[in-house]
Amino acid sequence: MVKSMDVSAKKEQYIQFLNKCNTMVISTKDANGDPFISYAPFVQHEGKFYIYISKISDHYQFIEANQLISIMLLADEHGSPNLFALERIRFQCTAVNIGNEGHEDIFSKFSENHGAPMMGVLRGLDLSLFELTPIDGRYVIGFGQAFSIDLAGDKFDHVVVDKNK
């Protein structure tokens, strides 16, 4: 017998998890088309993610060359009851370099989430702001608990795997 699931409670869990994450894993392709993985602190603003990364970093160059990236937000391993079913969110995104002029509302969120002194230092360096627009997402809580999502939480559909395929 299949156990029923309180989807609204799972959606609330998703929103809480999303709002407590501060860093993301970023998957891009390098100059040869090979996978490349990195990470960056981020903020959310008006249905998008924003990262602030150095122009001399590898992932900066790779995102500039290929604007379709994947990102992942991961739960802390130490709090997870089962590492095979680690809570996580994955999005496929388009990424656009929006520079540093203006965007004070986004920089304000960076200062609030990651510290004003740190942002004061970073703003004087060679970093640039990238806007990540989620296209498609998946939230996984555990075995049999995966959901197709959007960033706002408006789309929250339980994914059922057909074991006959």
Side-chain angles (χ1 to χ4, degrees):
M1 181 173 177
V2 176
K3 186 174 153 184
S4 72
M5 181 183 312
D6 183 349
V7 175
S8 63
K10 300 298 181 185
K11 181 177 178 179
E12 182 59 33
Q13 184 178 346
Y14 158 69
I15 292 167
Q16 288 178 9
F17 177 69
L18 177 65
N19 289 332
K20 74 178 182 181
C21 291
N22 290 307
T23 61
M24 64 176 54
V25 177
I26 304 167
S27 176
T28 60
K29 292 181 181 178
D30 69 13
N32 297 320
D34 295 326
F36 181 84
I37 196 161
S38 60
Y39 99 103
F42 74 91
V43 297
Q44 296 178 60
H45 183 69
E46 297 181 352
K48 298 180 181 185
F49 295 106
Y50 293 86
I51 57 176
Y52 194 48
I53 57 177
S54 172
K55 294 176 181 177
I56 62 170
S57 67
D58 289 333
H59 60 206
Y60 180 100
Q61 306 304 321
F62 302 151
I63 294 170
E64 282 276 286
N66 183 5
Q67 296 178 342
L68 185 61
I69 67 171
S70 290
I71 63 170
M72 183 176 279
L73 314 178
L74 296 164
D76 186 344
E77 291 180 6
H78 298 292
S80 178
N82 185 336
L83 295 181
F84 286 95
L86 188 68
E87 186 175 11
R88 60 198 176 272
I89 298 171
R90 173 185 46 81
F91 283 107
Q92 189 172 50
C93 299
T94 56
V96 177
N97 184 340
I98 60 171
N100 296 322
E101 298 305 315
H103 313 296
E104 291 309 313
D105 46 352
I106 296 164
F107 284 116
S108 176
K109 285 188 174 186
F110 267 103
S111 292
E112 182 181 320
N113 293 1
H114 303 291
M118 176 56 69
M119 290 309 297
V121 170
L122 295 177
R123 298 270 323 251
L125 300 177
D126 69 338
L127 282 75
S128 190
L129 193 62
F130 280 80
E131 179 181 81
L132 311 181
T133 304
I135 300 169
D136 186 42
R138 175 76 49 98
Y139 173 54
V140 178
I141 305 169
F143 298 113
Q145 297 184 69
F147 301 87
S148 291
I149 56 168
D150 63 9
L151 185 58
D154 295 331
K155 175 183 175 186
F156 196 84
D157 302 317
H158 186 229
V159 176
V160 179
V161 177
D162 184 353
K163 293 181 182 178
N164 296 322
K165 288 186 179 185

